[in-house]
Amino acid sequence: MTSASSSSPPEEPAQFAPLPGDFFGFADLLAEHEQALLQRVRVFLRQQVAPIANDYWSRGEFPFQLIDGFRQLDIAGVMYEGLSQHRGSRLLSGFLALEICHTDPSTNTFYGVHSGLAMGSIDRCGSGEQKQLWMPAMARMDKIGAFALTEPHGGSDVAGGLETTARREGDEWVLTGEKKWIGNATFADLTVVWARDIEDHHVKGFIIEKDTPGFYPTKIEGKIALRAVENADINLDECRVPEANRLQRANTFRDTSDVLRQTRGGVAWGSVGCMMAAYELARDYTITREQFGQPIAKFQLIQDHLATMLGNITASLSMVVRLAQLQDQGVNKDEHSALAKSVVTTKMRDTVARAREVLGGNGILLGHNVARYFADAEAL
């Protein structure tokens, strides 16, 4: 990986406090060392990401110079045994997603695709040798990952309708098909691609390295959400992958679903961060914006919006916190993650819409930040 420039995380601040939108102080459930890490991440985000987020969003480009700062934070491997000095709970990984999305949903998508979907696929479906080969480099962010499941004609129905095929030829597999909306794929060092074996008709996973012949990612242009994420359309034209790069424990779509089960909750956590940021921006705006001789925060109509937004956030945060606890206990089910994702994203859409409305005309100006969260919420 090459980057335009490097950025370094700041020194760890002395004290941690929950974000203003965390009205019930759920972050206090984190262990002390987890709070310390979250605070380091928060300061890095505020100093390095927040000042450039609108610019890169507007340009539709990813800020590659941030990768070195994320590398030094050592957070890509927090969910996996032996890969980070900061190994922590699912609650910690959830709050990391919340914190990053609170600053910039595009940056959180990059982080989640790499550390959740791509690394999660190898961790849960790779052999011991494959994990040893790929995971440490990915945890250090020396290798960046992508995850290619969605197709032009299939989203949530890919279990039964996956069109990308794989056929075995000796010690190689030949992949043919198309993928769509694949985050990080334009620059990732490796992409986990899911394809249907034409012999047994089961879905299998393959690690395709950058610049492999027959692997052609093309950046999707013209998005109105998550614009700093480099999503790609991928064309697989007789792409040859060695058997050594087939995920050895991914033999049916059940194995793919296991990865999704573990990562789906991350979307809910990020959505809490998105709506929390929109609420805080709206709240601060109402204190300083005056109409009819007083701050608009004094009007009950505005107060009703703020109270509803905060209620949405608190209800959503309680749901994802409990989901993380179930994950730490190993008793979470698909239904738990699915319900959290569905409910929280719905409440997020309501919350960012209220925030945009509270800002009036200024709510559509990128410089007031709420517009970016309002747009990004659609993709989430």
Side-chain angles (χ1 to χ4, degrees):
M1 288 292 304
T2 58
S3 59
S5 62
S6 62
S7 56
S8 301
E11 293 296 322
E12 180 179 316
Q15 189 174 0
F16 171 81
L19 292 166
D22 184 3
F23 191 60
F24 280 53
F26 282 105
D28 289 338
L29 297 173
L30 292 167
E32 187 174 339
H33 72 278
E34 294 176 325
Q35 292 181 353
L37 173 62
L38 197 61
Q39 183 73 348
R40 287 186 64 231
V41 171
R42 179 182 298 175
V43 176
F44 166 73
L45 292 168
R46 290 181 176 177
Q47 292 183 355
Q48 302 294 333
V49 181
I52 65 173
N54 283 343
D55 180 43
Y56 278 86
W57 191 96
S58 180
R59 288 155 50 186
E61 298 176 2
F62 180 75
F64 291 102
Q65 68 270 27
L66 295 177
I67 293 177
D68 188 56
F70 273 103
R71 180 181 295 121
Q72 294 182 52
L73 286 169
D74 189 26
I75 58 174
V78 294
M79 292 187 292
Y80 310 104
E81 192 68 39
L83 292 180
S84 171
Q85 62 176 321
H86 304 300
R87 179 77 167 95
S89 63
R90 281 282 176 176
L91 193 64
L92 171 63
S93 66
F95 269 104
L96 285 171
L98 183 155
E99 198 77 45
I100 300 171
C101 207
H102 182 274
T103 299
D104 180 38
S106 290
T107 302
N108 184 59
T109 301
F110 154 76
Y111 170 76
V113 169
H114 170 72
S115 65
L117 289 168
M119 291 184 69
S121 296
I122 298 173
D123 178 67
R124 305 195 77 83
C125 298
S127 65
E129 292 79 6
Q130 289 173 326
K131 288 191 280 189
Q132 186 176 9
L133 175 63
W134 297 106
M135 293 289 281
M138 295 178 77
R140 296 191 303 269
M141 301 189 87
D142 293 336
K143 298 284 187 181
I144 300 299
F147 176 93
L149 176 63
T150 303
E151 298 181 340
H153 302 126
S156 59
D157 66 337
V158 290
L162 199 71
E163 295 179 354
T164 300
T165 61
R167 72 175 187 271
R168 181 78 179 263
E169 290 188 358
D171 291 333
E172 291 184 322
W173 291 82
V174 182
L175 273 62
T176 301
E178 296 177 279
K179 298 293 180 180
K180 192 174 183 67
W181 297 116
I182 311 306
N184 300 354
T186 57
F187 59 87
D189 298 286
L190 60 106
T191 301
V192 177
V193 175
W194 301 91
R196 188 177 302 281
D197 185 347
I198 63 173
E199 290 295 327
D200 63 15
H201 304 292
H202 284 306
V203 174
K204 294 179 169 61
F206 302 85
I207 298 173
I208 300 183
E209 299 178 67
K210 188 177 183 179
D211 298 326
T212 296
F215 178 79
Y216 304 112
T218 304
K219 182 181 176 182
I220 297 175
E221 303 284 0
K223 297 184 301 176
I224 66 166
L226 298 179
R227 287 178 46 79
V229 177
E230 296 216 358
N231 293 97
D233 291 328
I234 296 176
N235 180 35
L236 296 158
D237 183 10
E238 296 284 297
C239 181
R240 292 185 172 270
V241 183
E243 164 65 12
N245 280 27
R246 180 181 67 82
L247 292 176
Q248 299 298 303
R249 295 191 295 146
N251 297 308
T252 72
F253 195 78
R254 289 180 181 272
D255 302 312
T256 318
S257 295
D258 189 39
V259 177
L260 298 175
R261 180 186 308 112
Q262 299 302 317
T263 58
R264 187 174 285 119
V267 177
W269 275 101
S271 298
V272 176
C274 178
M275 68 171 118
M276 191 180 289
Y279 158 75
E280 292 170 5
L281 288 164
R283 184 203 61 172
D284 293 346
Y285 180 86
T286 65
I287 296 172
T288 58
R289 174 70 169 178
E290 292 192 359
Q291 291 285 280
F292 305 104
Q294 61 182 331
I296 63 174
K298 289 184 176 292
F299 295 106
Q300 288 186 335
L301 179 62
I302 298 298
Q303 294 169 6
D304 180 65
H305 278 311
L306 294 175
T308 300
M309 292 160 69
L310 186 57
N312 285 345
I313 293 166
T314 303
S316 298
L317 191 51
S318 65
M319 181 175 282
V320 294
V321 165
R322 181 55 182 156
L323 175 63
Q325 292 172 338
L326 294 174
Q327 289 176 318
D328 279 329
Q329 295 166 15
V331 296
N332 64 296
K333 300 178 181 179
D334 287 341
E335 301 93 313
H336 294 137
S337 297
L339 183 64
K341 181 179 177 183
S342 174
V343 171
V344 172
T345 53
T346 300
K347 289 189 176 296
M348 171 188 61
R349 176 177 273 177
D350 176 60
T351 299
V352 298
R354 290 174 183 271
R356 199 225 56 77
E357 184 172 341
V358 163
L359 267 69
N362 287 330
I364 67 170
L365 295 175
L366 191 57
H368 285 270
N369 294 309
V370 166
R372 176 162 51 87
Y373 294 99
F374 177 81
D376 287 348
E378 290 301 295
L380 293 175

